[in-house]
Amino acid sequence: MKNIIVAAFFLACASTAVAQRSVPIFLNVYGGYTFQDRVDLGYYSGYNNYGYIKANGQYGAGIECFIAPSRSIELNYQYMGTTAPFYDFQGQTNSQSDAAHLHYILIGGNNYLMTGSNAQPYFGAGIGVGIADFTDYGQHSTSLTKFAWNLRLGVKIKTQSAISVKLQAYLQSIVQGVGVGVGFGTGGAGAGVTTYSTMLQFGLGGVLSFDLKHKK
């Protein structure tokens, strides 16, 4: 799946380059803060097991290729290191080690509103894969690769240099990212968790956008 995403991005950029002699290409460096999300892990003995993906910083990078003056496609990678405590009717099941690492590899598009000023509002969306790595009791690690998507809304502030700034809000999700056995040790509540839960995360952030073909 990851290879398909990368191949699709470069194929689209190559096709655009053939049609246009000069294709604007930007290197985007991301930084943001993703807020806490609660995930429901299903019912066991009449009790709703649940957990939290704790709030933390998120960062990443992407390559953005413009296929029209107001439209672009982008391949990006986002990473968030955090903690994810999980609970059953007896309390926290992974109190000894609740580390979590979330990776998003997405391809998508951005649409910019051509306002005639240096401030360009935009919205975009992406799809791809999400990789969620959890540590259970410091002994076992669980890695899940699932379908992922994101939505973003923001404004791009252009300058006279090769560097532009974006301010944005984003919504991202790893679909069915938490499920059986995640955060639960052997003999714990994992045997009773039969449903998967989707992570849905909201965040605010900024982007430094470097024009790789900027002409002085």
Side-chain angles (χ1 to χ4, degrees):
M1 181 65 175
K2 290 180 285 186
N3 293 335
I4 293 174
I5 293 172
V6 174
F9 171 77
F10 284 108
L11 179 60
C13 284
S15 300
T16 304
V18 171
Q20 304 178 29
R21 292 184 178 181
S22 180
V23 177
I25 299 176
F26 290 80
L27 171 65
N28 295 328
V29 179
Y30 289 84
Y33 186 82
T34 303
F35 296 94
Q36 177 176 284
D37 176 45
R38 173 179 166 131
V39 289
D40 292 318
L41 301 175
Y43 286 87
Y44 178 66
S45 298
Y47 184 84
N48 184 26
N49 299 285
Y50 65 94
Y52 294 98
I53 308 298
K54 292 292 188 176
N56 210 344
Q58 178 173 305
Y59 58 88
I63 294 292
E64 184 177 13
C65 175
F66 276 78
I67 57 176
S70 63
R71 295 180 181 178
S72 69
I73 57 174
E74 182 178 5
L75 174 68
N76 70 66
Y77 165 78
Q78 303 284 333
Y79 168 77
M80 178 183 179
T82 184
T83 57
F86 294 97
Y87 301 89
D88 67 3
F89 62 94
Q90 294 179 323
Q92 185 175 348
T93 62
N94 59 343
S95 58
Q96 296 186 37
S97 181
D98 57 5
H101 304 274
L102 307 180
H103 310 263
Y104 289 85
I105 304 171
L106 304 173
I107 184 171
N110 296 305
N111 286 273
Y112 295 85
L113 301 181
M114 309 303 287
T115 61
S117 68
N118 289 333
Q120 295 181 338
Y122 69 91
F123 62 92
I127 60 173
V129 296
I131 303 170
D133 296 321
F134 298 93
T135 303
D136 177 15
Y137 284 93
Q139 306 177 50
H140 308 93
S141 61
T142 300
S143 181
L144 303 167
T145 300
K146 299 290 182 178
F147 173 76
W149 58 265
N150 77 349
L151 299 173
R152 49 194 176 270
L153 179 67
V155 60
K156 180 177 182 178
I157 304 171
K158 301 176 67 175
T159 68
Q160 298 299 319
S161 70
I163 303 176
S164 300
V165 177
K166 293 182 180 181
L167 302 175
Q168 66 177 15
Y170 55 88
L171 186 67
Q172 62 191 20
S173 176
I174 298 179
V175 178
Q176 295 185 336
V178 181
V180 177
V182 175
F184 297 88
T186 55
V193 179
T194 58
T195 61
Y196 284 94
S197 179
T198 293
M199 284 181 280
L200 186 64
Q201 300 176 292
F202 172 77
L204 298 173
V207 184
L208 289 178
S209 188
F210 299 87
D211 186 348
L212 300 182
K213 292 191 174 183
H214 176 72
K215 296 181 180 179
K216 298 182 179 179

